[in-house]
Amino acid sequence: MVSPVPATVAEFRARYRAEQIGPRYSGRLHLASTSLASLLAIGLCAHAAPHPRPLEWLTVPLAFLFANLVEYAAHRGPMHHRARPDFFLTRLLYQRHALSHHRFYTDEAMTVEEPRDYQMVLFPPAVVFLFIGGVAVPVLLALRLLVSANVGFLFGATAVGYFLTYEWLHLAYHLPPESWVGRLPFLARLRRHHTAHHDPRRMQRFHFNITFPITDALFGTTYRDR
């Protein structure tokens, strides 16, 4: 059973919905467009590297670990601290995450109340295209030039796949626990990990991995309730 939303959170949600979420916004369409764009990019990269050599397959686990580290660094850094110098993108990440997402969802009120609330979980479509076009593609091209085409495209597929996993898992943590997604066995521990991060007392110090807490374990930022 979902606990009642605290009055301060309910107030913030009502104000945010009225001021920041347009009447034409569709959470389901947002999720579908992010998923389709990412899956298309993954498919194109996989098609461009049909027969990698055995050694080139090492790109996949290495790219996965690199993405886990980037997720951790971005979350612990600009998503929770004002960056200096203050660029538009870092300012947007900080405002949207630390100042809005963590007030819209707290450890006492993690669950979306309607699909329009997906707006406060999923990255804006512009960020998706910025990530793919401004980050994944340049690294892909550099690896293609410096190492091999297969390595470049395998990196691209893994990086975008990791981003999509991030979006799906993050949304899953905020869906009702009694939903069919919420009841998936492997999600319970990951949801608890993320819920602890939404505790205002801990969000600046613990649980910066949203997908798999590998880098949290590496850097000792896993909270252990003593």
Side-chain angles (χ1 to χ4, degrees):
M1 183 176 178
V2 178
S3 303
V5 176
T8 53
V9 176
E11 235 176 78
F12 179 82
R13 288 183 177 185
R15 188 168 66 252
Y16 186 91
R17 290 179 187 127
E19 296 174 359
Q20 303 294 331
I21 304 179
R24 295 186 176 182
Y25 173 80
S26 167
R28 293 186 178 92
L29 181 59
H30 188 169
L31 175 61
S33 61
T34 294
S35 300
L36 288 174
S38 300
L39 290 170
L40 177 62
I42 294 167
L44 290 172
C45 288
H47 180 72
H51 304 295
R53 294 188 294 274
L55 196 59
E56 291 174 325
W57 279 111
L58 285 175
T59 305
V60 174
L62 292 175
F64 173 88
L65 292 173
F66 175 72
N68 191 264
L69 177 61
V70 169
E71 171 195 66
Y72 178 93
H75 193 186
R76 189 175 186 177
M79 292 172 79
H80 273 285
H81 299 278
R82 292 183 186 275
R84 294 289 182 270
D86 188 16
F87 297 111
F88 169 76
L89 180 59
T90 55
R91 183 168 66 251
L92 174 66
L93 287 173
Y94 175 76
Q95 291 172 345
R96 183 177 172 80
H97 187 78
L99 303 185
S100 297
H101 179 72
H102 273 273
R103 293 180 67 189
F104 203 100
Y105 300 107
T106 70
D107 60 321
E108 296 178 310
M110 286 287 287
T111 307
V112 301
E113 296 178 291
E114 54 185 280
R116 293 179 78 243
D117 293 348
Y118 293 3
Q119 198 264 5
M120 201 66 267
V121 179
L122 302 171
F123 279 113
V127 173
V128 179
F129 290 107
L130 179 65
F131 167 75
I132 293 175
V135 179
V137 170
V139 176
L140 182 160
L141 293 175
L143 289 173
R144 187 178 187 277
L145 180 66
L146 298 172
V147 187
S148 74
N150 283 337
V151 166
F153 288 116
L154 285 173
F155 171 85
T158 307
V160 178
Y162 192 99
F163 172 80
L164 184 57
T165 302
Y166 175 106
E167 291 284 72
W168 283 350
L169 284 177
H170 193 195
L171 179 60
Y173 304 153
H174 290 283
L175 291 177
E178 66 274 11
S179 67
W180 72 267
V181 174
R183 293 197 307 270
L184 292 173
F186 70 92
L187 272 180
R189 186 174 180 181
L190 292 175
R191 186 191 296 111
R192 287 196 299 271
H193 183 272
H194 189 58
T195 299
H197 173 71
H198 274 265
D199 184 334
R201 299 166 299 175
R202 299 169 186 158
M203 68 180 189
Q204 298 279 31
R205 295 183 295 155
F206 299 107
H207 295 193
F208 298 106
N209 279 130
I210 291 177
T211 53
F212 310 102
I214 299 169
T215 314
D216 271 320
L218 182 63
F219 288 106
T221 50
T222 300
Y223 179 77
R224 303 193 185 283
D225 192 342
R226 300 185 186 279

